[in-house]
Amino acid sequence: MTPRFPIAILPTEVAERIAAGEVVERPSSVVRELLDNAVDAGASTITVELQGSGLELIRVSDDGAGIPPDEVELAFQHHATSKLRSLEDLLTLRTLGFRGEALPSIATVADVELLTREDRHEHGTVIALRAGQVVRLQPAARQRGTTVSVRNLFASVPARRKFLTDGRAESLLVGQLVRRYALAHPTVGFSLFLDGRLSFRSSGSGQLAVVMREVYGSAVAATLLPLPTRQTDFVTMTGYLSDRGVTRPSRDHVTLIVNGRWVACRALSTAIEAAYRPLLPRGRHPIAALVVEVPPSELDPNAHPAKTEVRLSRETEVATLLAEAVRETLGCTPVRPIPDEIFLLGPGQYPLPWHRSSALHESEPEWRLDSESSPLAGIDFAELRVLGQVQDTLILAEGKAGLLLIDQHRAHERVIYEALLARNRQGAAEAQTLLEPIVLELKPAQVSRLEGRLTELAEIGFNCQHIGGRDFLVRAVPVVPGQESFLPDLPAILTEATADDKGWQDRLVTSLACRSALRRHQPLSVTDMTVLLSELATTTSPAVCPHGSPLIIQISRRFLERQFNW
Ligand code: ADP
Ligand code: MG
């Protein structure tokens, strides 16, 4: 932990530069501020208690550094903080708080009692405030740490209280918040009690994989994929993410952790969603915890008054890298039959009340990153043996990884797609002149768009020429290492180039690959299939087709062993 400054009131020019705003909107915002303070105090265990959804009582206790007696009263002054002294400190800040606004703001809308003790002092201190005024301040006994009790929240602000009628919703929000903090701070053990009942606990194991299990349950956690660590000169990313078989109906289960804080960052969330989009059914969202580290100067935590949105200076770059990492992880993971128990958890449901999960804790081996949950681990294409073809459509192969069923059409699509991309990237697209040029008639709205893209089309191998009106003449097309002729589908393929967005080139290449690939219901020899698999092995995403659909089903040895009780 960084050494703390004594609490002091920020100089006006510093206070003025710090985004201010409403910090206390509802019970979960109080919990969030108190959690921030506990984490900043270096706590290793933090307990949150809620009575009456937080309107009666919110209590957060920690075993952190505590506050020295002579600073306790000061902590409730506006802009009083121990975390920063000058604006420059904002550039290297590692603490979650820095405004010195939380305690005074909470004290104006609730009755607050704070009991604290620093190690160096023999006694602790208790302070109580009503309507922002100190009503008690005296020595008191406590072990190292701090307990803040907030009672009668918004009792003096009836208008605010009136909007908080749905107690269940408030408790759910707090539940979600505490779980997110647990994910962002794996070394801290969090407990949440709702009306005296333990609702969530994390062990403080220090491992994100373990917290994922504590939050989502063993069954789901066992299916999560580790994101291989990525590192560039200014960003490092790791994390865990769900495979396409495990989804949630809301976006709430993607937790972004940037420089040790749980944050919302639209650019990053959008990039993650986009990476998943072709793989998930409409309205379903992934589960993920993604940990991003950038130099502190690249992150502006001061962008939003409630500290929820952060700004990253190289946001687009980070988003692209993150999306790439997610795409690659998913792209290398075959579909696996999912253990039945996952379906027992309703969609969106938080798994396992504590007594059950603690039982699992004891009876189950530590969740580890075994070969079953790492991408394509165990699938060594070189040692695969083709057993035959199923329905003239699927290649059945066997290896150490178990049984694999591979969709021949999608596999071939993937192979062709990557071959074309590689050529285009090297500027080495091959074109073949058509014996008879083809006339393409477009809709009026498409004409100017295609016209503007003729150079780019030429780079891919299409020689097209506008011959007036709505007509184009196609003189040459790319040479595609495929099996089928795509010429009959040329109009449909070129229509991709008239779309009103940036993704058209990729879709056009996908479309070329799709129409040139081996069809389904086509008998193949063992040699054909072996060659196809060896080509697939060299691609970057051998488990999904360029449209994003899975192309390998893996029935692992472990799955068979379990099913047959070997
Ligand atoms: P900030 O967190 O922005 O500094 P707060 O109003 O939340 O402002 O808290 C004011 C100060 O009180 C903090 O800077 C810190 O020194 C002290 N403090 C608050 N909560 C705790 C806690 N749980 N443990 C130790 N110190 C605390
Ligand atoms: Mg604070």
Side-chain angles (χ1 to χ4, degrees), residues 4-8 33-42 60-62 64-68 71-72 74-77 79-84 95-106 114 116 145-148 307:
R4 96 192 246 289
F5 306 122
I7 301 182
E33 292 296 340
L34 299 180
L35 284 177
D36 279 356
N37 284 346
V39 170
D40 284 348
V60 176
S61 321
D62 67 59
I67 308 175
E71 293 179 24
V72 170
L74 197 52
F76 284 88
Q77 299 279 322
H79 302 307
T81 179
S82 60
K83 299 170 192 173
L84 134 133
T95 55
L96 303 173
F98 52 87
R99 301 197 166 101
E101 277 294 306
L103 292 182
S105 310
I106 296 168
L114 180 148
T116 186
T146 304
T147 302
V148 182
K307 297 183 286 191

Side-chain angles (χ1 to χ4, degrees), residues 28-49:
S28 60
S29 33
V30 173
V31 174
R32 177 150 198 203
E33 292 296 340
L34 299 180
L35 284 177
D36 279 356
N37 284 346
V39 170
D40 284 348
S44 51
T45 51
I46 300 177
T47 304
V48 180
E49 296 163 73

Side-chain angles (χ1 to χ4, degrees), residues 133-209:
Q133 299 304 310
V134 179
V135 294
R136 188 153 67 102
L137 177 61
Q138 63 196 64
R142 198 204 188 279
Q143 306 213 307
R144 177 190 134 113
T146 304
T147 302
V148 182
S149 308
V150 177
R151 290 190 173 81
N152 306 323
L153 181 64
F154 300 133
S156 57
V157 200
R160 177 57 58 79
R161 206 171 161 111
K162 214 172 66 197
F163 284 106
L164 299 170
T165 46
D166 187 353
R168 222 182 87 82
E170 295 305 317
S171 302
L172 276 176
L173 275 178
V174 171
Q176 209 170 61
L177 183 74
V178 174
R179 286 172 173 87
R180 288 194 149 129
Y181 269 68
L183 290 168
H185 306 282
T187 56
V188 180
F190 289 84
S191 308
L192 170 66
F193 291 87
L194 299 175
D195 292 319
R197 246 196 65 243
L198 183 61
S199 139
F200 169 74
R201 169 171 284 171
S202 70
S203 57
S205 64
Q207 289 167 333
L208 182 57

Side-chain angles (χ1 to χ4, degrees), residues 244-502:
R244 40 186 107 53
V246 181
T247 62
R248 288 290 180 267
S250 82
R251 287 197 168 82
D252 294 342
H253 299 277
V254 173
T255 302
L256 276 174
I257 301 146
V258 179
N259 288 10
R261 9 175 125 234
W262 161 56
V263 298
C265 179
R266 194 167 316 210
L268 299 193
S269 328
T270 311
I272 296 165
E273 274 281 323
Y276 268 97
R277 200 36 39 219
L279 302 178
L280 302 187
R282 227 168 228 281
R284 303 296 299 184
H285 304 276
I287 295 173
L290 299 168
V291 182
V292 176
E293 286 285 332
V294 294
S297 55
E298 301 280 334
L299 173 85
D300 180 8
N302 193 22
H304 188 276
K307 297 183 286 191
T308 39
E309 280 271 345
V310 293
R311 206 174 290 140
L312 282 173
S313 52
R314 289 157 83 174
E315 203 160 79
T316 329
E317 217 173 319
V318 177
T320 310
L321 278 171
L322 192 57
E324 244 174 56
V326 170
R327 232 174 243 133
E328 230 165 77
T329 306
L330 296 170
C332 290
T333 309
V335 172
R336 302 189 180 95
I338 294 158
D340 305 340
E341 56 264 34
I342 284 179
F343 296 114
L344 298 178
L345 300 168
Q349 183 186 340
Y350 276 120
L352 309 178
W354 173 246
H355 61 274
R356 267 192 65 200
S357 77
S358 80
L360 282 174
H361 220 63
E362 277 144 29
S363 64
E364 289 206 349
E366 269 300 277
W367 187 65
R368 67 208 136 81
L369 308 179
D370 59 18
S371 63
E372 293 236 327
S373 46
S374 53
L376 279 195
I379 301 192
D380 175 0
F381 281 92
E383 58 99 44
L384 279 186
R385 192 163 64 89
V386 171
L387 301 177
Q389 200 184 11
V390 179
Q391 297 183 356
D392 289 344
T393 293
L394 294 170
I395 303 169
L396 179 64
E398 180 193 37
K400 287 197 200 75
L403 270 186
L404 300 184
L405 286 162
I406 298 145
D407 183 310
Q408 65 195 39
H409 171 69
R410 289 180 182 171
H412 200 207
E413 263 182 340
R414 167 55 65 186
V415 168
I416 298 172
Y417 170 81
E418 293 208 5
L420 289 177
L421 277 195
R423 274 197 218 160
N424 294 346
R425 222 174 280 134
Q426 294 159 9
E430 274 177 62
Q432 58 180 31
T433 307
L434 296 172
L435 288 179
E436 268 185 65
I438 296 173
V439 177
L440 193 68
E441 190 187 330
L442 296 183
K443 299 203 183 86
Q446 300 173 323
V447 172
S448 64
R449 257 186 238 128
L450 193 70
E451 180 136 49
R453 289 171 179 167
L454 293 180
T455 324
E456 283 150 296
L457 280 170
E459 283 161 11
I460 303 178
F462 285 102
N463 178 342
C464 305
Q465 186 192 346
H466 191 188
I467 51 171
R470 292 152 52 184
D471 294 338
F472 285 79
L473 198 63
V474 185
R475 294 180 190 281
V477 295
V479 178
V480 177
Q483 178 93 4
E484 302 280 331
S485 169
F486 60 86
L487 285 180
D489 296 314
L490 199 59
I493 294 171
L494 280 169
T495 307
E496 302 286 1
T498 66
D500 186 16
D501 69 334
K502 282 193 296 191

